[in-house]
Amino acid sequence: MKIAAFSGALMEYSIQEAMKITANLGFDGIEIACREPHLSPQTSLPRVKEIRRLADEHVLDIPALGGYMGRFSESGDSECAAAYDEFLGLLERADYLETDMIRIFPGGPNAFLAADYHYEKAAHWLRKCAEEAHKHGKTILLEIHNVSLIETVESSMRLLGMIGEDNVGLIHDAGNMYISDTDFGRASVTGLGSRLLHVHVKDEKRIREAGGPGTFRNVTRHGEEHFLQCRLGEGEVDHRELFEALAETGYGGWVTLECFAPYPPLEQLAHDRDVVMQLLRETASAAAPTSASPSSSSVSAPGGN
């Protein structure tokens, strides 16, 4: 597995500074958040080429572009068309950046509140995106996310089945799945199977009341709940079983650190990097004696990474 930093944790810096910081911290790559001042579907092509040059200079891969467009399920037709056009702009820039995967959001509401037509509309537009991405040799990523159509393994696989395109896969995000109060351990990895193409990690915990730095509210199946963003290992999202399952199943893709705890960005990225590296060492060592076992599950690594 390779480790990337999410540039969204470094939005107070320019993309040039964010890439230098990421390289200095020893990451293998940087997943670019597609919001200015880092990147957008409107970013000029000369600037995009400069970002690619800087990635080469810092010996950083760009495994994925974290797009924010989409949200098709609850949007009107004109809004969906505009989001599709934004995706096409980002797809063109992905070619210049030599990036294989682009994240799109399907939209909401929460999976347990969604009607069939929410899934049908999202599937229609995501299929269009996937068909265009296929022409460029790109893969669409859908992030398992709270307050969305894909909060669980089951709802995620339902939407993928409706889209019906092979170049659409899922981002496993234990932090988001913790918020939704759904399994994010071994069963989630085996349940997603070969459609698990990317992994995000972050930590959170439930609190009595939001309002301070790093806190937020979300509607879950339990009602309105309050959360605090934490550094890895300091919240309630235990990633050990996830990393054990990734090691056991031979996942060879990327793990991106989405660090949004209320700490200085460099401090929180360095902390989370150290926690993940330790988890990787421990779980790889534990999985080694049984890696050849015929009973072990198999998860395909993303192609082209």
Side-chain angles (χ1 to χ4, degrees):
M1 283 177 260
K2 293 184 178 182
I3 310 300
F6 185 53
S7 83
L10 297 165
M11 292 305 283
E12 64 187 72
Y13 300 95
S14 68
I15 186 60
Q16 292 87 349
E17 293 170 315
M19 295 177 85
K20 182 178 181 180
I21 290 167
T22 299
N24 287 343
L25 286 172
F27 285 93
D28 301 303
I30 184 168
E31 180 175 335
I32 301 180
C34 296
R35 286 176 171 165
E36 295 296 355
H38 289 183
L39 183 71
S40 76
Q42 294 78 37
T43 299
S44 69
L45 294 184
R47 185 163 158 246
V48 172
K49 293 176 184 178
E50 174 65 9
I51 292 172
R52 180 63 254 176
R53 186 193 69 77
L54 286 169
D56 292 336
E57 180 181 305
H58 291 298
V59 196
L60 287 174
D61 287 333
I62 306 174
L65 300 182
Y68 292 92
M69 77 290 291
R71 308 182 191 277
F72 300 115
S73 56
E74 295 182 288
S75 300
D77 289 345
S78 61
E79 294 170 312
C80 289
Y84 177 71
D85 287 341
E86 283 202 334
F87 166 73
L88 295 181
L90 201 56
L91 183 60
E92 180 183 12
R93 283 146 185 82
D95 282 335
Y96 286 97
L97 292 171
E98 301 174 23
T99 302
D100 292 334
M101 301 188 291
I102 303 172
R103 180 184 67 181
I104 307 178
F105 283 118
N110 302 72
F112 61 88
L113 296 174
D116 289 346
Y117 73 84
H118 289 115
Y119 284 92
E120 291 164 1
K121 185 159 193 178
H124 168 76
W125 284 97
L126 289 167
R127 189 179 308 113
K128 286 174 61 70
C129 292
E131 289 169 351
E132 194 62 32
H134 181 72
K135 299 175 186 176
H136 293 252
K138 307 299 182 189
T139 296
I140 301 298
L141 293 176
L142 306 179
E143 183 173 356
I144 300 179
H145 208 292
N146 43 300
V147 195
S148 84
L149 297 182
I150 53 171
E151 294 184 306
T152 65
V153 169
E154 293 75 19
S155 58
S156 300
M157 298 303 285
R158 176 189 179 188
L159 182 57
L160 287 187
M162 295 174 72
I163 296 168
E165 298 291 336
D166 291 338
N167 63 328
V168 183
L170 295 161
I171 303 175
H172 186 292
D173 191 310
N176 293 338
M177 298 165 84
Y178 162 81
I179 294 170
S180 299
D181 194 19
T182 187
D183 176 78
F184 53 81
R186 182 171 281 98
S188 67
V189 172
T190 57
L192 294 176
S194 63
R195 307 310 289 270
L196 194 169
L197 299 185
H198 197 55
V199 175
H200 282 176
V201 296
K202 56 179 175 282
D203 205 350
E204 282 125 358
K205 65 180 178 181
R206 284 173 163 79
I207 56 175
R208 293 187 62 182
E209 186 174 359
T215 66
F216 61 97
R217 300 176 179 84
N218 248 189
V219 173
T220 75
R221 60 192 180 89
H222 304 297
E224 184 178 86
E225 293 192 278
H226 303 247
F227 301 88
L228 171 66
Q229 296 167 318
C230 304
R231 298 189 302 183
L232 285 178
E234 297 178 356
E236 297 175 346
V237 187
D238 186 351
H239 285 80
R240 178 167 295 276
E241 187 178 325
L242 166 65
F243 276 88
E244 288 174 348
L246 293 175
E248 290 166 6
T249 56
Y251 174 77
W254 284 85
V255 175
T256 292
L257 309 191
E258 279 193 314
C259 307
F260 297 113
Y263 290 88
L266 275 67
E267 177 185 330
Q268 64 179 5
L269 271 172
H271 175 276
D272 285 12
R273 174 207 60 199
D274 290 347
V275 171
V276 167
M277 293 302 295
Q278 183 65 25
L279 279 170
L280 286 174
R281 285 191 293 267
E282 293 173 358
T283 54
S285 175
T290 59
S291 61
S293 169
S295 62
S296 61
S297 303
S298 177
V299 177
S300 298
N305 289 305

